Amino acid sequence: MTDISAPTKSKAVEMHGHSPGVVLRSLVIGLTAFLTVVDLFATQAILPSLARHYNVTPAAMGFAVNASTIGMAVAGLVIGFLSPHIDRRLGILVSLILLAIPTTLLAIAPDLTAFTVLRIAQGLCMASAFALTLAYLGEQCSSMDAGGAFAAYITGNVASNLIGRLVSAAVVDTLGLASNFHFFALLNLAGAVLVYFTIHRVEPMRATSTERPPFAAMVEHWRNPALRSAFAIGFCILFAFIGTFTFVNFVLVRPPLSLGPMDLGLVYFVFAPSVVTTLFAGKAVARVGTRPAIWGALAVAALGLPLMLSAHLLEVLTGMVLVGVGTFFAQACATGFVGQAASDNRGIASGTYLAGYFLGGLVGSAVLGQLFDRFGWTACIAGIGASLAIAALLTSRLTLDPRSAASPA
């Protein structure tokens, strides 16, 4: 993702007892990311089971499950504004402990409205922990360590998409829906324990005196055409991602594919290539530039769309791999651009980007859900393709101001 912290003096990453090496540190950072956002998309793997449980349409269930993005969008903005005043370690700990509460209550949610409210609460907690961890890494990493730290965090984030869905499907298939949410609540608490023993307490980093007030900074960012385009690209990326990986579940369980719950979980090994390819986004941008890198990623995702209309499982899976690789790669490039394009108050810029990104997921689940219910999977794929095309057009506007280009992201 991206660093939401304001420009500050860097320190080396500190952990209790001093980390014995880069490998262990990277493992801890990646595991923290995994346990922070594992709830976000894991529930998508059990969408058909949830739709049957609540006796609702795919569109209604898809919107409820993805309502977590409302909380993510709100928290992204709020943490961006308040980040300089929040103790990183305490904030992450409290967010992960509180996250376990709505996760547990999902096991007994009596109706779809209650389920939706609890998913929003999950989103608020996840985004708070996520954003504060990124701020901590940005502030405590030396310039040499920053690349490896953020790569580890992004990898943990992508891995949560794969392993979270797989685990969720396996638990539901074996122990039932309620046990699934109890299990993920335990994972949230495990994340809090990990943070307690690994992240060292530091004072919140104060913004420099030359920076604008938060609201003025946000207005200034919106006046920047390149940043406006980046915010919109983030919206389009999650719009397409959510549309693909929410409603393809219903296609996979219907004839002619007719997959069972456990098979549906195994399908999400399609994210495995993304765990590897996303790590090369920074190198790709350095070699060919931001715009060609995003155009290439969006093209890869677009190539996967017609394959998912096939009646053959292998072709559908190939299409899912391409969409996953393309959207994750484009997301990494776009977030990196925001960090460069914002000349100051990068925390506000990144918080605004995250808000737009998660808002795109919410709108995508609503709009594409209606297309899926009313006109079918082909119409849904067309809507996803339109979103990718708009993102490609917006990418042409991603040009850096000379002042921003000269300052380190």
Side-chain angles (χ1 to χ4, degrees), residues 16 21 42 74 128 158 190 225 233 273-274 290 296 312 367 396:
H16 289 315
V74 172
S128 298
V158 178
I233 289 168
S274 301
T290 298
H312 302 287
V367 172
S396 63

Side-chain angles (χ1 to χ4, degrees), residues 86-123:
I86 299 175
D87 179 279
R88 307 300 189 224
R89 181 172 182 267
L90 179 61
I92 299 166
L93 276 172
V94 170
S95 297
L96 290 174
I97 292 170
L98 291 178
L99 175 58
I101 298 174
T103 305
T104 301
L105 293 176
L106 282 169
I108 56 173
D111 52 41
L112 198 62
T113 300
F115 187 97
T116 303
V117 171
L118 290 171
R119 285 292 286 173
I120 293 172
Q122 278 189 308

Side-chain angles (χ1 to χ4, degrees), residues 36-37 39-40 65-80 86 91-92 94-100 102-103 116-133 354-355 358:
T36 299
V37 296
D39 298 273
L40 182 58
V65 164
N66 294 313
S68 55
T69 57
I70 299 175
M72 299 288 278
V74 172
L77 277 178
V78 172
I79 296 300
I86 299 175
I92 299 166
V94 170
S95 297
L96 290 174
I97 292 170
L98 291 178
L99 175 58
T103 305
T116 303
V117 171
L118 290 171
R119 285 292 286 173
I120 293 172
Q122 278 189 308
L124 287 167
C125 296
M126 281 187 284
S128 298
F130 185 83
L132 289 171
T133 304
L354 288 177
F358 290 116

Side-chain angles (χ1 to χ4, degrees), residues 248 250-259 304-320 377-378 381:
V248 73
F250 295 99
V251 175
L252 291 169
V253 299
R254 294 173 180 174
L257 300 176
S258 303
L259 299 184
L305 297 182
L307 293 175
M308 289 192 295
L309 295 173
S310 172
H312 302 287
L313 182 60
L314 182 59
E315 292 181 13
V316 174
L317 296 180
T318 303
M320 293 172 70
W377 181 229
T378 302
I381 288 290

Side-chain angles (χ1 to χ4, degrees), residues 8 14 41 110 144 176 190 197 210 238 264 299-300 306 316 319-320 351 371 383 408:
T8 56
E14 294 182 309
F41 294 121
M144 290 185 64
F197 285 107
T210 59
L238 198 60
L264 190 60
V300 169
V316 174
M320 293 172 70
L371 287 177

Side-chain angles (χ1 to χ4, degrees), residues 139-323:
E139 293 162 356
Q140 303 307 310
C141 286
S142 67
S143 58
M144 290 185 64
D145 288 340
F150 279 100
Y153 200 77
I154 291 169
T155 302
N157 180 17
V158 178
S160 71
N161 278 269
L162 163 61
I163 301 173
R165 295 172 200 251
L166 180 62
V167 169
S168 184
V171 172
V172 169
D173 193 40
T174 307
L175 302 173
L177 278 172
S179 297
N180 170 74
F181 295 114
H182 292 314
F183 180 81
F184 277 87
L186 291 176
L187 289 182
N188 301 150
L189 294 176
V193 171
L194 179 67
V195 168
Y196 181 83
F197 285 107
T198 59
I199 291 185
H200 189 62
R201 187 185 185 281
V202 293
E203 292 297 321
M205 294 292 184
R206 305 292 176 181
T208 60
S209 59
T210 59
E211 291 182 336
R212 301 178 181 87
F215 183 76
M218 185 171 69
V219 171
E220 186 66 22
H221 292 327
W222 275 106
R223 288 175 177 170
N224 184 327
L227 279 174
R228 282 202 310 269
S229 297
F231 300 155
I233 289 168
F235 179 98
C236 292
I237 289 172
L238 198 60
F239 184 103
F241 181 88
I242 288 284
T244 300
F245 292 102
T246 296
F247 300 106
V248 73
N249 293 284
F250 295 99
V251 175
L252 291 169
V253 299
R254 294 173 180 174
L257 300 176
S258 303
L259 299 184
M262 190 59 202
D263 293 329
L264 190 60
L266 292 172
V267 157
Y268 285 98
F269 274 108
V270 296
F271 287 125
S274 301
V275 175
V276 177
T277 57
T278 304
L279 292 173
F280 294 96
K283 292 182 179 179
V285 168
R287 176 166 293 187
V288 303
T290 298
R291 289 184 295 177
I294 294 180
W295 279 327
L298 294 174
V300 169
L303 288 174
L305 297 182
L307 293 175
M308 289 192 295
L309 295 173
S310 172
H312 302 287
L313 182 60
L314 182 59
E315 292 181 13
V316 174
L317 296 180
T318 303
M320 293 172 70
V321 168
L322 293 175
V323 173

